[in-house]
Amino acid sequence: MSIQRPKGTQDIIPGTIEKWQFLEEQIRKICSEYGYKEIRTPVFEATELFQRGVGETTDIVNKEMYTFMDKGQRSITLRPEGTASVCRAYTENKLYALQQPVKMYYLGPMFRYEKSQAGRFRQFHQFGAEVLGGEDPLVDAEIICLIWDFFGRIGLKGLVVEINSVGCPTCRAEHRIRLQEFLQERKDDLCPDCQNRFTKNPMRILDCKNSSCQKLTENAPTTLDTLCVDCAEHFAKTQEYLNIAGIAYRINPRMVRGLDYYQKTAFEVTAEGIGAQNAICGGGRYDGLVQEIGGPATPGIGFAMGLERILSVMEKQSVEMLPEVEAPVVIAALGEAARQEGFRLLGDLRQAGMPAVMDLLGKGLKGQLKYADREQARYVLILGDDELARKMVIVRDMRLGEQQEIPLDQIKAFLLNHTKCEM
Ligand code: HAM
């Protein structure tokens, strides 16, 4: 049997890659407009980074990490998310010495050993952004604006933005006590995962997807019931700024997010019509994370969105994704001498910045014209012994269906005039 790709992974092949490139272009454009600089961190990190950063009680750390010992007996993990790595890089590269806040974005593959299903992959791609060194609620609002603006620009409709405040360690301690009191007599009826969460991280029980857990916790105290003055003010201000920006959001007191580092603002964007895995973006504030992994006390907030899920929504909503590709020039050469001249010309055209290709299989004229058609060429340069002897080339305009002869030494100038390339 032939070898197949690992479960939960995808090949992004020509024909599909153009959509990814379109999305990536839009991402780079909006990030540059909002003043975010790109950061690239390693695809693998010391396992401890995620254990401490993402948190020991999370599903990610408990069940989903690709962890292995390398040949030097170090425990290594393929990154399941980008935030912990960005915080590590911020500390390691002393980015706290730069003007704050530092606004960064990233694009790349993440790895989680999850049950693969529609919209859930083991290797998936995120566009994420992090703002480090800014604690003002204006930062929270601005980052949600970026997300909203981005989805608007790429033409997504029917999205729901949900926000919540999960409080800080101080007010969460109080919430924990109240929630455990509430759950005490219902504990035995919770799902096994939630029974586990009861002592480790009871707050997570609030967003369990199991319907019987949801029923049992219907009237449970939420973090909004116990916010301290500082967290309550922060949440109110964030909403005020979101209102000014005209963002339609919903407050969902049960949305607590599945990573341990969140404090204060948490948010998620969901889309209709893509099945159970409908979260296309998630994020929040993580004021304690940089310190948790050994850096200076630094407030932080960020988000990440799953590109596979976004593309799936775009497809469902028939959003146009037509990247502007320049049609190539195709050289059709007949006979060895013409092939050599064509090969030389190919190099010249490429040097001048023009996309140019030629048949590499030694096809006849008909085959080469068919090839040009498939390549969606705008111009085909036909070169045979006769043209070569007269130092001419036939230029066929594929759109107009017309052709003319041009002297070989003028062909580059002709094409530069007739295509949008500049020397
Ligand atoms: P997350 O909610 O775990 O947050 O992931 C963010 C997004 O990545 C999800 O909303 C979803 O679109 C996509 N995603 C997650 N897992 C998968 C998967 N198995 N297959 C396909 N797509 C997936 C984080 O990762 C945080 N680091 C976000 C953040 C940044 N918070 C603060 N800064």
Side-chain angles (χ1 to χ4, degrees):
M1 207 176 75
S2 62
I3 299 169
Q4 297 184 330
R5 61 174 185 262
K7 209 171 170 179
T9 65
Q10 282 183 300
D11 297 313
I12 309 170
I13 55 178
T16 305
I17 193 76
E18 292 78 6
K19 295 177 183 166
W20 286 77
Q21 288 167 342
F22 166 79
L23 210 51
E24 286 162 7
E25 254 171 51
Q26 301 298 315
I27 289 167
R28 293 191 192 285
K29 188 158 177 286
I30 200 166
C31 284
S32 123
E33 285 168 19
Y34 276 71
Y36 285 73
K37 306 265 164 60
E38 187 180 1
I39 178 165
R40 297 187 191 183
T41 60
V43 166
F44 59 87
E45 297 268 5
T47 302
E48 195 191 347
L49 174 69
F50 303 115
Q51 285 169 336
R52 271 166 60 181
V54 176
E56 296 278 13
T57 69
T58 60
D59 287 350
I60 295 181
V61 170
N62 270 321
K63 308 182 196 161
E64 299 169 0
M65 295 211 297
Y66 277 92
T67 298
F68 58 95
M69 294 303 274
D70 73 3
K71 291 193 166 67
Q73 295 311 301
R74 297 171 203 93
S75 180
I76 295 291
T77 294
L78 299 185
R79 61 178 184 194
E81 59 105 53
T83 313
S85 302
V86 170
C87 290
R88 181 207 41 74
Y90 175 85
T91 305
E92 198 166 338
N93 297 283
K94 300 190 174 55
L95 301 186
Y96 46 78
L98 302 178
Q99 170 161 277
Q100 305 293 298
V102 180
K103 304 189 340 183
M104 295 175 277
Y105 78 96
Y106 50 90
L107 259 173
M110 305 292 160
F111 307 86
R112 295 185 193 175
Y113 194 85
E114 294 198 75
K115 197 159 168 267
S116 63
Q117 61 185 82
R120 191 190 268 169
F121 301 94
R122 290 184 174 169
Q123 175 174 332
F124 60 98
H125 297 78
Q126 282 187 345
F127 154 40
E130 314 290 348
V131 181
L132 287 152
E135 60 184 345
D136 198 295
L138 191 58
V139 184
D140 306 40
E142 198 217 31
I143 209 157
I144 297 173
C145 284
L146 187 160
I147 297 165
W148 191 246
D149 190 3
F150 177 71
F151 287 140
R153 287 186 195 197
I154 59 172
L156 296 194
K157 291 182 262 342
L159 305 183
V160 177
V161 181
E162 290 186 329
I163 64 167
N164 190 20
S165 175
V166 293
C168 63
T170 315
C171 51
R172 208 144 62 203
E174 154 124 33
H175 175 252
R176 185 187 166 95
I177 295 168
R178 289 195 26 197
L179 183 61
Q180 281 177 327
E181 270 170 18
F182 174 90
L183 291 172
Q184 191 62 46
E185 58 194 41
R186 301 164 171 87
K187 203 169 82 181
D188 298 339
D189 300 324
L190 293 168
C191 73
D193 274 348
C194 283
Q195 290 193 14
N196 227 338
R197 289 172 183 143
F198 181 81
T199 38
K200 285 192 181 149
N201 190 1
M203 185 177 75
R204 285 281 339 265
I205 299 175
L206 292 177
D207 76 357
C208 178
K209 302 290 175 263
N210 188 310
S211 58
S212 75
C213 291
Q214 283 176 356
K215 190 120 199 67
L216 282 170
T217 57
E218 234 166 33
N219 299 311
T222 68
T223 47
L224 291 187
D225 299 325
T226 49
L227 289 186
C228 62
V229 176
D230 182 34
C231 290
E233 267 175 17
H234 189 98
F235 194 42
K237 268 278 172 219
T238 303
Q239 290 173 57
E240 215 177 300
Y241 292 131
L242 287 175
N243 294 339
I244 293 172
I247 306 227
Y249 58 87
R250 264 187 218 159
I251 297 175
N252 178 358
R254 302 175 71 94
M255 188 262 298
V256 300
R257 309 267 308 130
L259 298 94
D260 279 357
Y261 48 60
Y262 292 115
Q263 293 188 20
K264 295 184 176 163
T265 316
F267 52 85
E268 229 162 57
V269 183
T270 50
E272 290 163 1
I274 54 165
Q277 304 307 315
N278 64 351
I280 56 172
C281 175
R285 185 163 273 288
Y286 47 84
D287 291 348
L289 178 56
V290 177
Q291 203 168 17
E292 177 63 42
I293 58 173
T298 310
I301 181 166
F303 69 82
M305 40 180 92
L307 299 189
E308 287 81 359
R309 291 187 191 172
I310 293 172
L311 285 164
S312 147
V313 183
M314 290 172 91
E315 230 146 78
K316 288 264 153 48
Q317 299 187 353
S318 310
V319 175
E320 282 276 338
M321 286 178 273
L322 288 181
E324 214 176 282
V325 245
E326 215 179 314
V329 173
V330 170
I331 297 178
L334 294 163
E336 183 52 24
R339 213 167 135 86
Q340 288 184 11
E341 183 57 31
F343 190 48
R344 194 194 52 74
L345 186 57
L346 196 62
D348 271 6
L349 298 183
R350 288 171 177 166
Q351 283 292 319
M354 250 178 275
V357 289
M358 74 188 281
D359 160 57
L360 300 171
L361 300 177
K363 291 187 175 130
L365 182 60
K366 216 168 133 201
Q368 294 193 56
L369 290 178
K370 210 174 197 178
Y371 166 70
D373 209 37
R374 291 217 176 108
E375 289 291 312
Q376 296 179 326
R378 175 73 208 276
Y379 293 103
V380 183
L381 310 185
I382 304 169
L383 205 56
D385 287 342
D386 177 46
E387 287 77 27
L388 206 56
R390 292 185 291 115
K391 297 201 177 349
M392 299 294 278
V393 58
I394 299 170
V395 182
R396 184 190 284 236
D397 184 326
M398 297 293 274
R399 257 177 241 166
L400 303 177
E402 292 166 356
Q403 59 184 50
Q404 59 181 309
E405 276 199 347
I406 306 267
L408 251 177
D409 58 2
Q410 288 171 26
I411 186 62
K412 197 162 88 183
F414 171 89
L415 289 171
L416 284 170
N417 266 333
H418 285 74
T419 61
K420 55 187 172 123
C421 291
E422 280 159 13
M423 276 277 246

